[in-house]
Amino acid sequence: MNPIKFLFTVAALMFVASPAVHAEEAYLNYKTYCMQCHGMHGKGDGVNVPAMNILPRDHSDNKYMMKRTNTDIYKAIKFGGPAINKSVRMPPWGDTFTDQEITELVGHIRSLCCEKELVRGVNFK
Amino acid sequence: MKRFLLFIVFAAFVSPALVSAGESGAEILKARCASCHDLKGPAPATIRQLWKRDAPDLFYAGNKFRREWLVAWLQKPVRIRPAGVNYLRTINSTPTHQEKTKKGRKYDVLWGAVLKPLKHVTLSKQDAGAVADALMDLKPHTALVAGVTLDTSKKVSLDAGEVIFDKVYGCTSCHQIEPGYGGYTGAELYTAGKRLQPAFMLSYIKRPKNWDPKIWMPNLHVSPDDLQKITNYLILLSKEDFSESN
């Protein structure tokens, strides 16, 4: 392979591979930190549910989640429920994740609720 | 002759146990505990490493535990984490096994060995004392508790403490404050006052990440005043007798 072709391949691979890597990291983060309350399927059915008087949001609830902007979701994750007038039962995760990781988590949640809309290229702001 | 041979085989089998009576705490730790517990550190720095952890880290035991508790627990170990050391391994989320809340909402359930009493090495009184001494020597995180002291003037009643713990910060989502009352994915806390040094509790609650960088307890930004009150509450709580309900 000539060097230029090689460079092209590397560049192409980086372009293709990195979103996938990010998606996987976001999934791992969601699994480790969020599933304890939001459930293994993100349906708000985590193992801690019996201890909670306010139930965790069902992230696959398309009708509700379509009404939320990406900014709402980002703020809820970083600063906790009270930042969007919701319960303290949703804790703040700003000290656990970088801003980049939170943005990726927003993307992951969108894939749980709004797959079809994502494919259509809906802008969630 | 045959009997004599049998005796020799028997003696060879039994003797290591006899010798162990004189082992030092550090030797016991190395020989019987290091296969599960990390005695050297550092704590897992990535999620993948975190998931490989089979038992709680003990490398900062001297900064964390109360010696009396260690001596007693090592002779009679019982479960501390209702969902085990790694909740992702102990949950069943298949819809047919999920349980329902009163309102009919389904939720994931604990599953398997974690529902049975803890199986753990049990030590004799003498060994427990020696091991506790060796564990109390492990203090790599002294900087994290330096200058951290409990303010006993910030006392609260059990009721007022529970309001802060449950309503203000939502800690009961993950922690039990009575056997069977509270969430599963954190350690039980109705025994925390007996188990843990006050300075450790203050420092851990303030920023769990400092002790365990990838742990799934968030920093809840507890105010300095509430931090003192919560810790005083946990100490008061563990003076309650929960043995009846156990």
Side-chain angles (χ1 to χ4, degrees):
Chain A
M1 198 187 270
N2 78 41
I4 291 187
K5 242 192 201 160
F6 176 73
L7 276 182
F8 259 109
T9 321
V10 169
L13 271 179
M14 276 165 70
F15 204 75
V16 175
S18 70
V21 168
H22 286 170
E24 187 185 346
E25 290 303 314
Y27 171 72
L28 290 184
N29 279 334
Y30 188 82
K31 187 167 174 181
T32 307
Y33 301 96
C34 319
M35 284 184 182
Q36 51 184 329
C37 294
H38 288 280
M40 297 308 224
H41 311 289
K43 291 184 184 295
D45 55 356
V47 71
N48 285 333
V49 158
M52 302 170 78
N53 51 354
I54 310 261
L55 291 179
R57 180 61 57 195
D58 177 353
H59 287 152
S60 68
D61 177 349
N62 177 280
K63 217 165 135 206
Y64 176 86
M65 293 305 285
M66 282 304 288
K67 283 188 267 171
R68 311 303 286 173
T69 65
N70 281 351
T71 317
D72 291 335
I73 300 177
Y74 183 94
K75 270 163 100 183
I77 301 173
K78 182 159 178 171
F79 305 110
I84 52 157
N85 295 319
K86 300 276 171 181
S87 162
V88 294
R89 295 270 156 204
M90 168 60 194
W93 295 96
D95 197 23
T96 303
F97 303 120
T98 61
D99 289 355
Q100 173 70 25
E101 285 170 322
I102 298 178
T103 307
E104 285 157 21
L105 273 170
V106 175
H108 180 74
I109 290 177
R110 279 294 177 219
S111 75
L112 294 175
C113 70
C114 315
E115 192 89 57
K116 272 189 233 135
E117 289 78 5
L118 280 180
V119 173
R120 269 196 269 127
V122 170
N123 180 5
F124 294 99
K125 279 182 281 199
Chain B
M1 185 62 194
K2 247 192 190 156
R3 272 215 189 133
F4 177 69
L5 274 181
L6 262 184
F7 174 77
I8 296 218
V9 171
F10 183 69
F13 234 90
V14 173
S15 58
L18 292 177
V19 172
S20 82
E23 267 179 321
S24 76
E27 281 162 359
I28 299 177
L29 280 177
K30 217 170 137 197
R32 300 175 61 189
C33 319
S35 56
C36 296
H37 291 284
D38 185 354
L39 298 162
K40 295 206 182 76
T46 65
I47 287 180
R48 285 178 182 81
Q49 286 168 12
L50 179 78
W51 285 356
K52 288 197 191 117
R53 182 160 69 191
D54 297 317
D57 290 342
L58 291 181
F59 67 88
Y60 53 85
N63 297 123
K64 175 173 178 180
F65 297 107
R66 301 176 66 121
R67 188 182 176 279
E68 317 83 84
W69 177 84
L70 280 174
V71 175
W73 189 86
L74 289 170
Q75 295 174 68
K76 203 172 168 280
V78 287
R79 195 173 294 289
I80 300 163
R81 294 162 182 77
V85 175
N86 186 335
Y87 80 93
L88 287 164
R89 296 183 194 168
T90 63
I91 281 179
N92 193 330
S93 61
T94 42
T96 46
H97 292 297
Q98 283 186 317
E99 282 177 17
K100 274 190 192 159
T101 61
K102 277 179 216 133
K103 287 184 186 152
R105 177 110 163 229
K106 287 191 162 187
Y107 57 89
D108 301 342
V109 291
L110 296 180
W111 198 254
V114 82
L115 296 171
K116 304 202 183 93
L118 179 73
K119 278 197 192 137
H120 194 273
V121 191
T122 304
L123 299 180
S124 68
K125 192 170 176 192
Q126 191 195 353
D127 285 353
V131 166
D133 284 337
L135 284 172
M136 293 309 287
D137 283 342
L138 305 176
K139 290 183 176 168
H141 283 340
T142 303
L144 289 179
V145 283
V148 179
T149 44
L150 182 68
D151 181 350
T152 47
S153 72
K154 301 257 164 69
K155 281 230 152 52
V156 284
S157 66
L158 282 179
D159 288 343
E162 188 175 327
V163 169
I164 302 175
F165 188 88
D166 182 24
K167 300 282 181 314
V168 180
Y169 294 101
C171 317
T172 34
S173 302
C174 306
H175 291 288
Q176 305 208 343
I177 48 171
E178 226 176 83
Y181 181 71
Y184 299 118
T185 54
E188 66 181 30
L189 289 185
Y190 50 92
T191 54
K194 286 202 187 91
R195 231 167 357 105
L196 308 170
Q197 297 170 23
F200 170 80
M201 289 193 264
L202 289 162
S203 173
Y204 194 99
I205 298 168
K206 187 167 171 216
R207 195 162 192 254
K209 213 179 167 174
N210 285 345
W211 295 84
D212 199 354
K214 287 288 166 183
I215 194 66
W216 49 93
M217 168 162 162
N219 178 346
L220 290 152
H221 305 288
V222 178
S223 75
D225 201 47
D226 288 342
L227 188 62
Q228 293 288 346
K229 286 183 182 159
I230 288 179
T231 308
N232 275 309
Y233 161 72
L234 291 175
I235 292 170
L236 184 64
L237 182 68
S238 67
K239 294 189 176 133
E240 293 283 289
D241 182 12
F242 293 105
S243 49
E244 267 169 57
S245 37
N246 243 336

